Amino acid sequence: MKQDIHPDYHTIKIVMTDGSEFITRSTWGKEGDVMNLDIDPKSHPAWTGGQAHMLDRGGRVSRFQKKFAGFIKDEKAGDEKPAPAKKK
């Protein structure tokens, strides 16, 4: 294994958005540096259950729904729509 090719692995302090902090090891910064997070699992919508909106750019979603409408199960009626018949 080659010598002196790996970055320095040292301890740093992480400060979360709510002010809580913890010590971890990282290659970021120098020994004893402080990393202040702007986004973390306590505040980001991906972890907190925020509302995500699907954008229909250029009608792609509606074209997909129209194209595959025959394959989608109708949950209200409790039955499936028949698939198109095969041509011989």
Side-chain angles (χ1 to χ4, degrees):
M1 192 160 119
K2 291 184 180 180
Q3 296 296 319
D4 302 324
I5 63 169
H6 297 286
D8 180 35
Y9 193 59
H10 49 270
T11 58
I12 62 169
K13 185 186 334 182
I14 305 292
V15 179
M16 307 288 268
T17 56
D18 67 350
S20 61
E21 35 186 70
F22 64 94
I23 303 290
T24 188
R25 293 182 52 125
S26 176
T27 58
W28 179 85
K30 300 181 302 261
E31 178 77 29
D33 279 353
V34 177
M35 178 186 286
N36 293 303
L37 299 180
D38 295 330
I39 298 174
D40 63 23
K42 296 177 182 179
S43 66
H44 194 278
W47 288 285
T48 60
Q51 297 298 322
H53 299 285
M54 185 185 320
L55 299 177
D56 187 5
R57 298 182 189 263
R60 291 183 183 142
V61 174
S62 56
R63 280 187 298 176
F64 176 85
Q65 290 172 341
K66 183 178 177 183
K67 182 176 180 178
F68 294 103
F71 297 105
I72 299 173
K73 182 177 179 178
D74 186 9
E75 293 181 17
K76 292 179 184 174
D79 59 354
E80 289 188 29
K81 296 179 182 178
K86 292 183 180 179
K87 294 182 182 180
K88 290 186 179 185

